[in-house]
Amino acid sequence: MKSIVSLVCLLAVAGSLLTCKVDKYPPEIWQSTPIKATIGQEVLLSGAQFGSDPVVTFGQGGTAVQASIRQKTDQTITVLVPRVGVGVNTISVQNGQGITDPLSFTVLQPPPSITAITPINGLAGTPVVIAGDYLDRLSSVKFGDVSATVVGTGTPTSITVTVPPNLPRARLPLLVETEGGRQAGEFYAVATPIITGFSPKRIRSGGEVVITGKYLLDAVVCINGLPTDPLQTRVQETEIRALVPPTATTGKLSVTVFNKITATTPDSLYIAFAPAITRLNVTEGIKGDRVLISGRSLRDITSVTFGNTATTFQVVSDTLITALVPERPQSGEVNVTVNGLGGSAFYFVPFLVVLPPANIAFDPLRRARGKDVTINGQNLHRIREVRVNGKLATIISRIEGSEVRINVPADATTGAITLSNAAGSATSTRNLAVIQRPVIADFTRKAAVGSRVVIKGDFLQDARIVFSNSAGPAINDGRNDDTEVWVRVPADAQNGAILVLNETNEPTYTDVFTVQKSPTQVDFTPRTAKLGGEITITGQNLADVTEVRFGTGASAPAAVRRETSATGIVTLKVTVPATAIDGLICLVSPTGTVCPDIFFNVLQPVSGLDFTPKTGKIGIDINFAGLNLSTVTEVKFSGGKSTAAAFHMSGQFLVATVPADAVTGPICLKNDAGTVCTTVDYVVTK
């Protein structure tokens, strides 16, 4: 009984342990990954019971700095290493349930950063202050490859060094190296330029200015902010000679080395004011004409040019010059330019120098009255008058200087063309042939279609030759001039007068012309027929056909019947002659023989016939070999007495099915050329 009571008590204690609740679960931190990191680097903390709102601190020697949490779970926290002392620190995690035991962690020195270098240039011995961050735990400071001396102890945000001796004159990296890494700034091992003076004080663009001073080597010169051309600038240690750019304006001079270190003059360099032309009293003229040039800053003008030709001029005042139009090699638009101390200026509207016309040419060389002619040449400016063989022509358009278009006068005759302007006149070396109404003296009065017709007379060149009833002009056949033209008789020509029409559009007609025509547009049906069969030939000009031959003309003449419709259209009914063979059909007429490119097949009966098998039952297929099988229209067994058998072509063979009423006997095949039976019987078996 006592043992039973003890067991009950033990079970009661166990039950109470299972049902009780622990009130406090403090966080635990097991490890960090990595165990060393620089300030600002991410670190992963692993542990347990971090909770929903943990606080992570890094500390050293009793100090604690809260870290920024990036991600968190109950077992992991990702934080950024806060700014704490470099070296061994501890990490702790705290929440509402407690705080972890500290975990050892080493904070590494971050790379240095440079925010400013003062000054950015100097010679040996110059103290230089480097500002930035993480500049402590310093290993070295170098100007390029040369180490510098650090002045004092410095701070994490500032160190002072002295520019070492023997540095090259150059832009150098200023390298700061600490335990955490290295950072480079920019330093110029050069003194700041010093300007002691410049001359002259007044100058025009393009003139040379001399700058004196110290430390000027390799400097870039600017005038009121505009750089001078380095190829036209000579730079020495104590002197610079530079040309003033054309667009320079009055302002201070500056010299800059390495595009960074600048010195500026206290005084400005004065740029002489450039001249300007505001008006010409005329904008065109001939040699010797007087031109008034108005503008400003003209008093110092030393020359006046028309294009590249200098001329005589007189300065009347600061705003007026008179000049004479000079002699030039050719006419055309040129700029009037004035040149002086302040530079050059030209008038924005070109001046037209007019010379007499020269080298006259024209196109076409033949033209009817009232038609246009295009004239080309040199100096064709301001053309006032054009004459054709002395008759005044109307100018209808022009391209100044190079082209004039005229209308040939109504009373003009063949002769030269003369052009005139204010400077003079010029006449063409060739005559313009003025075309008049065609004249017909003789012509070929009878010819076949396609044959040559010769027309003689005057003013015939390029004339349109139109035969009666023809849809268009005839094609030239080799000669085309004013006195003689050759053409070919077109296919649609009919008997009647021939029209001759040239540029004058005044028609001239010949007497009646007779057309000898060959058959055209020939066609026939059917294109396959047996000997003795009839075909129908259609086409144009069939009335004069005298013979029809088959086999590309090899057969004997065929029998022909002519049928004429109510509208006069002739059709030929032709019987295929016994001597006909495959080939073209040729039609013979007085104009020759025509063989249209249409093939005619003479229909032939089946020949060379053989079949397999020779013996068989009703309903089997029989294979036939031979010639002209593709034209077969009917197959019958029993010597042609059976019902028609079903058949079809298979390649080069004809396949027929033995009909139900077939008996032993020859097999007969029929086409449009006749019926042919086998010389061997087909034996029907049971």
Side-chain angles (χ1 to χ4, degrees), residues 375-454:
I375 305 169
N376 300 103
Q378 292 180 315
N379 309 326
L380 303 189
H381 288 97
R382 302 298 189 261
I383 299 300
R384 298 176 177 178
E385 182 181 276
V386 179
R387 291 182 178 270
V388 178
N389 200 21
K391 302 299 182 180
L392 186 64
T394 301
I395 298 175
I396 57 176
S397 70
R398 67 180 76 209
I399 299 175
E400 276 297 323
S402 62
E403 180 180 292
V404 177
R405 291 180 66 232
I406 65 166
N407 191 267
V408 179
D411 56 350
T413 55
T414 298
I417 297 177
T418 301
L419 285 77
S420 303
N421 63 13
S425 301
T427 301
S428 64
T429 58
R430 301 186 65 170
N431 288 337
L432 172 67
V434 178
I435 303 172
Q436 299 179 45
R437 181 175 181 170
V439 175
I440 300 174
D442 193 13
F443 72 103
T444 304
R445 298 176 181 273
K446 182 184 293 187
V449 170
S451 299
R452 175 183 294 171
V453 169
V454 178

Side-chain angles (χ1 to χ4, degrees), residues 43-68:
V43 175
L44 176 65
L45 305 179
S46 303
Q49 290 109 229
F50 287 151
S52 61
D53 194 22
V55 175
V56 180
T57 57
F58 285 66
Q60 184 181 37
T63 62
V65 178
Q66 185 171 333
S68 174

Side-chain angles (χ1 to χ4, degrees), residues 124-452:
T126 302
V128 177
V129 177
I130 304 171
D133 205 355
Y134 304 113
L135 301 178
D136 53 344
R137 298 179 179 267
L138 191 64
S139 299
S140 67
V141 178
K142 292 183 178 181
F143 288 77
D145 296 330
V146 181
S147 297
T149 302
V150 178
V151 179
T153 58
T155 69
T157 59
S158 177
I159 55 175
T160 302
V161 297
T162 302
V163 177
N166 301 321
L167 289 180
R169 190 176 188 278
R171 182 180 67 182
L172 300 171
L174 178 52
L175 302 173
V176 176
E177 187 168 2
T178 69
E179 285 184 7
R182 63 191 310 189
Q183 178 68 33
E186 192 175 69
F187 186 82
Y188 298 85
V190 63
T192 300
I194 297 173
I195 299 175
T196 58
F198 66 91
S199 65
K201 303 298 183 182
R202 296 173 60 87
I203 198 170
R204 64 183 177 87
S205 61
E208 183 179 74
V209 61
V210 180
I211 304 170
T212 57
K214 295 194 302 182
Y215 312 124
L216 304 179
L217 196 63
D218 299 328
V220 174
V221 179
C222 289
I223 301 174
N224 199 21
L226 179 69
T228 62
D229 185 351
L231 298 179
Q232 296 180 321
T233 303
R234 292 178 295 168
V235 181
Q236 297 177 342
E237 181 71 19
T238 59
E239 181 183 272
I240 298 176
R241 292 179 177 269
L243 297 185
V244 178
T247 57
T249 56
T250 297
K252 295 181 179 182
L253 298 173
S254 65
V255 293
T256 304
V257 293
F258 293 110
N259 294 322
K260 196 75 174 179
I261 316 302
T262 302
T264 304
T265 62
D267 301 326
S268 293
L269 173 66
Y270 180 82
I271 309 297
F273 195 72
I277 301 175
T278 57
R279 182 177 178 274
L280 302 180
N281 69 320
V282 292
T283 55
E284 62 182 63
I286 64 175
K287 174 187 174 183
D289 284 351
R290 185 176 298 274
V291 180
L292 301 182
I293 304 172
S294 301
R296 59 178 179 271
S297 302
L298 303 179
R299 190 175 300 280
D300 296 326
I301 293 304
T302 57
S303 68
V304 177
T305 58
F306 285 68
N308 57 3
T309 305
T311 188
T312 303
F313 72 97
Q314 181 180 1
V315 177
V316 178
S317 67
D318 195 49
T319 59
L320 182 63
I321 292 176
T322 63
L324 300 181
V325 178
E327 182 177 358
R328 285 185 52 79
Q330 63 183 38
S331 64
E333 292 183 333
V334 296
N335 288 118
V336 176
T337 304
V338 295
N339 308 286
L341 177 62
S344 301
F346 66 89
Y347 192 48
F348 69 95
V349 178
F351 186 91
L352 177 62
V353 178
V354 179
L355 272 65
N359 299 326
I360 304 303
F362 54 86
D363 182 69
L365 300 178
R366 305 173 69 258
R367 206 63 165 143
R369 294 167 176 170
K371 299 293 185 178
D372 297 346
V373 173
T374 300
I375 305 169
N376 300 103
Q378 292 180 315
N379 309 326
L380 303 189
H381 288 97
R382 302 298 189 261
I383 299 300
R384 298 176 177 178
E385 182 181 276
V386 179
R387 291 182 178 270
V388 178
N389 200 21
K391 302 299 182 180
L392 186 64
T394 301
I395 298 175
I396 57 176
S397 70
R398 67 180 76 209
I399 299 175
E400 276 297 323
S402 62
E403 180 180 292
V404 177
R405 291 180 66 232
I406 65 166
N407 191 267
V408 179
D411 56 350
T413 55
T414 298
I417 297 177
T418 301
L419 285 77
S420 303
N421 63 13
S425 301
T427 301
S428 64
T429 58
R430 301 186 65 170
N431 288 337
L432 172 67
V434 178
I435 303 172
Q436 299 179 45
R437 181 175 181 170
V439 175
I440 300 174
D442 193 13
F443 72 103
T444 304
R445 298 176 181 273
K446 182 184 293 187
V449 170
S451 299
R452 175 183 294 171

Side-chain angles (χ1 to χ4, degrees), residues 11 21 52 77 146 211 230 247 304 314 350 356 391 423 433 455 524 530 545 555 672 675:
L11 291 174
K21 179 181 179 183
S52 61
I77 301 175
V146 181
I211 304 170
T247 57
V304 177
Q314 181 180 1
K391 302 299 182 180
I455 302 175
F524 58 86
K530 64 182 179 178
V545 172
S555 76
D672 290 343
T675 301

Side-chain angles (χ1 to χ4, degrees), residues 10-38:
L10 181 62
L11 291 174
V13 171
S16 66
L17 290 174
L18 292 173
T19 58
C20 70
K21 179 181 179 183
V22 178
D23 293 332
K24 194 171 187 180
Y25 291 91
E28 298 180 10
I29 184 170
W30 299 335
Q31 67 177 7
S32 68
T33 305
I35 61 173
K36 296 179 181 182
T38 63

